[in-house]
Amino acid sequence: MDYMYGPGRHHLFVPGPVNIPEPVIRAMNRNNEDYRSPAIPALTKTLLEDVKKIFKTTSGTPFLFPTTGTGAWESALTNTLSPGDRIVSFLIGQFSLLWIDQQKRLNFNVDVVESEWGQGANLQVLASKLSQDENHSIKAICIVHNETATGVTNDISAVRTLLDHYKHPALLLVDGVSSICALDFRMDEWGVDVALTGSQKALSLPTGLGIVCASPKALEATKTSKSLKVFFDWNDYLKFYKLGTYWPYTPSIQLLYGLRAALDLIFEEGLENIIARHARLGKATRLAVEAWGLKNCTQKEEWISNTVTAVMVPPHIDGSEIVRRAWQRYNLSLGLGLNKIAGKVFRIGHLGNVNELQLLGCLAGVEMILKDVGYPIVMGSGVAAASTYLQNHIPLIPSRI
C-alpha cells in the first residue's frame, strides 16, 4: 500500500528515481542468500562483465558499490587523487555544485569554472588553463556529463580532444549518473578515466548501487593516491576479484538480481535502440514545450538533454506550485527547480524504462496543471505537437516484428 494512496498508477516523471520494470521488481522479490556461496560470485562475475558494455569499454574495471551516486563520486576522487591536488571542475547546475562541494570537503584544490545555469561547461576556459599548465599541476578534470538540474548535456569528447591537443596527463573523471545507458557514452573512445552512474537512473533500478568504471590509467593512479578511503577503496575490491569471491563486505543480494534483470532488458532492447528512444522522448518533450509557448532552460541546441527537460515558467507563476499541483491532483510527479532556479522551472524527466505513450500521458497532465495555475495554454497543443512527431518516428518494437 502506498503511504499516501492515489487511484490508478502513479506517473513518475522526475529525472530519477525512475520507473522500475515489472521483470526487475520480480527478480528482486527474493529472500536473502549467503553471499559467500558459489551462486553470488558466479552472478557477480556476469554483472561485472556486462556492466562494461553500458560504459562502452573493454579495458575498464567496474566496481559495484552499495551506495548512491554521491558515494560513487567519492570513490572516483579518493582512489585517484591526493589531498591538495589541483582539480578543474565545472559548475553548471545543482549536481555539479554538490560534487564541487564534496571535492572541497575532501581537501582537494578545486579550480572552479562556473557557467550560467542553463549553459554547458566553458571549454574555452579549460583550453586556456591547460595551455598555461606547463608543469602539469592539474591532476584531474571533473565534469558532469548531463546536469539534471538544468537539462544540459556536455560534450565529453571535446574535453578529451583538448587534453590530447595540449598533451596533458590529467585524469578525466565523468559523472554519468543521468546519462549512461540513456545518452551516447563512450568511455574508451573518449578516453574517460573514471566514469560513474547510479542504479536509480537509466538502469531503472531502486537507489542503492553506485557503479564506477576505472581505466587502466586510473587504476595506476591508485598507487600514488594518498586520500583516506575505507568503504570505497578499489584495492579492497581488487583483492577479492583475484580470489574470485568479489565482495569485501556484504552486498545487496536483491539489487544484484535486479541489476541482472535490468541488464538483460537493456541488451534485449539494444543499447543503441535505447539511446534512440531517449532521443525521441527528448525531442517530443521539447516540441510540446515550444507549442505551449514556454522556453527550455537549456540555452543552446548543442547542450540539450534527452533525459530531462527543465521548463522555464513566466515570472508570475511558481514552478514549485506546478509540481505540487501535479502530485496533489493528478498523481503525477515532476521535478522541482533547484537552488538558483527554484520556482523558475519545473522539470520533466524522460529517463529510463519509459515509452512514448507514457510520455504523452505526462504531457497531457502538464497541460491541465498549466491551466490550473492560470497559464493561457491552448489545451492539446503540446500533446498534438509531441504525438505528431512521435507517430512519424516510433519504430516497430524489435521483439514483435
Side-chain angles (χ1 to χ4, degrees):
M1 175 66 74
D2 294 341
Y3 189 69
M4 293 185 177
Y5 173 72
R9 181 175 289 275
H10 177 65
H11 300 276
L12 182 61
F13 280 87
V14 296
V18 303
N19 297 283
I20 304 173
E22 292 296 330
V24 174
I25 293 174
R26 290 194 295 270
M28 293 186 297
N29 185 19
R30 60 193 309 119
N31 212 326
N32 282 326
E33 294 181 34
D34 176 11
Y35 75 96
R36 294 186 176 91
S37 74
I40 300 306
L43 171 62
T44 303
K45 185 174 187 292
T46 70
L47 295 176
L48 293 175
E49 291 169 350
D50 284 348
V51 155
K52 292 168 68 172
K53 298 173 185 175
I54 66 172
F55 288 90
K56 293 187 179 175
T57 180
T58 57
S59 60
T61 299
F63 302 93
L64 308 176
F65 290 103
T67 187
T68 64
T70 305
W73 281 346
E74 186 168 332
S75 164
L77 295 167
T78 57
N79 280 279
T80 58
L81 300 166
S82 299
D85 279 353
R86 182 184 175 194
I87 299 171
V88 174
S89 198
F90 296 94
L91 200 173
I92 62 169
Q94 178 65 10
F95 294 96
S96 51
L97 174 66
L98 292 173
W99 197 14
I100 287 168
D101 176 65
Q102 184 188 77
Q103 292 159 19
K104 291 178 177 179
R105 290 162 70 180
L106 290 169
N107 296 318
F108 299 116
N109 175 15
V110 188
D111 189 346
V112 179
V113 179
E114 186 168 2
S115 298
E116 182 181 342
W117 288 32
Q119 296 181 358
N122 191 328
L123 299 188
Q124 291 182 338
V125 173
L126 176 62
S128 176
K129 291 181 183 294
L130 293 175
S131 67
Q132 296 171 27
D133 188 30
E134 296 179 358
N135 296 325
H136 296 160
S137 66
I138 299 171
K139 301 304 180 185
I141 310 298
C142 293
I143 186 167
V144 174
H145 186 200
N146 189 76
E147 173 54 71
T148 321
T150 55
V152 166
T153 302
N154 283 307
D155 186 347
I156 304 302
S157 65
V159 179
R160 169 47 60 194
T161 298
L162 287 174
L163 286 167
D164 291 348
H165 176 76
Y166 292 104
K167 297 180 172 58
H168 202 290
L171 295 166
L172 178 53
L173 277 54
V174 179
D175 169 342
V177 169
S178 62
S179 66
I180 290 171
C181 212
L183 307 182
D184 190 21
F185 189 88
R186 310 177 190 184
M187 182 171 177
D188 284 356
E189 184 177 329
W190 295 344
V192 175
D193 292 301
V194 185
L196 59 96
T197 191
S199 55
Q200 78 279 14
K201 300 285 188 172
L203 282 165
S204 300
L205 285 159
T207 307
L209 280 179
I211 304 174
V212 179
C213 201
S215 72
K217 181 179 174 182
L219 290 181
E220 187 66 23
T222 64
K223 297 177 182 178
T224 55
S225 167
K226 295 180 175 59
S227 293
L228 181 65
K229 58 264 185 188
V230 180
F231 187 78
F232 296 119
D233 195 331
W234 295 351
N235 287 316
D236 287 351
Y237 271 75
L238 291 172
K239 290 174 188 175
F240 284 85
Y241 285 6
K242 289 179 181 178
L243 292 172
T245 52
Y246 295 103
W247 293 100
Y249 39 65
T250 309
S252 169
I253 302 298
Q254 289 76 13
L255 276 175
L256 295 183
Y257 280 103
L259 178 59
R260 180 66 271 164
L263 290 171
D264 290 344
L265 291 177
I266 288 164
F267 299 145
E268 181 176 352
E269 183 177 359
L271 187 55
E272 298 309 314
N273 291 332
I274 290 172
I275 293 168
R277 171 166 55 80
H278 281 86
R280 288 193 301 275
L281 297 174
K283 177 68 172 178
T285 304
R286 292 188 294 274
L287 287 171
V289 172
E290 183 180 353
W292 296 331
L294 297 173
K295 292 184 178 180
N296 195 326
C297 180
T298 312
Q299 295 182 17
K300 288 185 179 180
E301 186 76 13
E302 66 192 79
W303 295 320
I304 58 170
S305 169
N306 285 328
T307 59
V308 57
T309 300
V311 184
M312 302 289 294
V313 296
H316 65 281
I317 292 177
D318 181 3
S320 301
E321 177 58 28
I322 290 173
V323 176
R324 281 193 292 270
R325 182 64 65 100
W327 187 78
Q328 289 176 340
R329 188 175 188 194
Y330 298 103
N331 205 10
L332 168 65
S333 286
L334 301 170
L336 287 163
L338 303 172
N339 202 318
K340 285 186 178 182
I341 53 175
K344 298 177 181 179
V345 308
F346 66 93
R347 294 176 298 146
I348 301 173
H350 30 87
L351 169 63
N353 192 267
V354 61
N355 64 31
E356 293 84 355
L357 294 187
Q358 288 174 286
L359 176 67
L360 290 172
C362 167
L363 297 177
V366 172
E367 291 192 355
M368 291 189 285
I369 298 157
L370 289 172
K371 193 78 170 179
D372 286 352
V373 299
Y375 180 74
I377 188 173
V378 176
M379 295 296 286
S381 58
V383 172
S387 59
T388 298
Y389 167 78
L390 290 171
Q391 191 274 326
N392 285 304
H393 290 86
I394 299 174
L396 294 174
I397 299 170
S399 65
R400 300 182 183 182
I401 297 173

